[in-house]
Amino acid sequence: GENVEQHPSTLSVQEGDSAVIKCTYSDSASNYFPWYKQELGKRPQLIIDIRSNVGEKKDQRIAVTLNKTAKHFSLHITETQPEDSAVYFCARQAYNTDKLIFGTGTRLQVFP
Amino acid sequence: NAGVTQTPKFRILKIGQSMTLQCTQDMNHNYMYWYRQDPGMGLKLIYYSVGAGITDKGEVPNGYNVSRSTTEDFPLRLELAAPSQTSVYFCASSYKGQGTDTQYFGPGTRLTVL
């Protein structure tokens, strides 16, 4: 189907620990996978994205991995800080459409 | 660049009233989108446009209309507002054609229908 399943829906970690959020999809035409961060009362903002011709991408403490065969992709945040607390959305887009399909979001809380 | 701007920031409507949510982008993006986000939920696509004069329905188009007469502007019209349309509305834009699909979001309009 079209949907993207995102897990977990909430995640609490201690400052300095790692956090992992996973999304699965079924449309094999999907070729673009962005991750957005939304702080309370703010707009979603892109934090990292990956295309289907790449298996992993890193940007400082954030990384995204993609397993095309298993049709899942994950966001990894290392050395978490309180300012990482937010809702994170994954999304996917197929090469033959113009629409992003968003996951249902993960609320990450980082405790000092 | 101001990016994507939306007006108004907040609005309270009575059932049956109409209004237009404004969205403007100054990045010369060809694609524009309207989403709604209900409390604690994800983003659902209402309508989108791939260029001036072209619009298409998303997941939840009922009760809304759009137009795209210029590249910069993509207004969303609510006719006969209903309580189910209480939500935060985000406009977004992106540029297709240079290998990037990044969507940039506006600050949102918080709409309450009573």
Side-chain angles (χ1 to χ4, degrees), chain A residues 8 11 14 17 22 28 61-62 64 66 73 80 93 96-97:
Chain A
L11 180 59
Q14 203 76 30
D17 286 350
K22 184 175 175 180
S28 56
R61 295 185 297 107
I62 292 172
V64 56
L66 171 64
F73 58 111
T80 53
Q93 182 167 325
N96 55 356
T97 73

Side-chain angles (χ1 to χ4, degrees), chain B residues 7-73:
Chain B
T7 57
K9 283 189 169 59
F10 305 93
R11 184 72 186 268
I12 297 175
L13 281 182
K14 292 183 181 174
I15 294 172
Q17 286 186 319
S18 302
M19 77 165 291
T20 299
L21 283 68
Q22 302 290 347
C23 175
T24 300
Q25 54 89 12
D26 63 358
M27 298 178 281
N28 202 29
H29 284 173
N30 46 2
Y31 282 49
M32 295 187 75
Y33 307 82
W34 274 107
Y35 295 91
R36 60 176 287 174
Q37 185 176 36
D38 298 336
M41 304 293 283
L43 294 148
K44 290 196 182 296
L45 183 65
I46 306 171
Y47 270 95
Y48 67 103
S49 167
V50 302
I54 307 168
T55 62
D56 211 343
K57 294 177 181 178
E59 286 177 87
V60 290
N62 291 348
Y64 307 94
N65 275 302
V66 293
S67 59
R68 183 100 181 267
S69 55
T70 67
T71 301
E72 296 78 19
D73 300 304

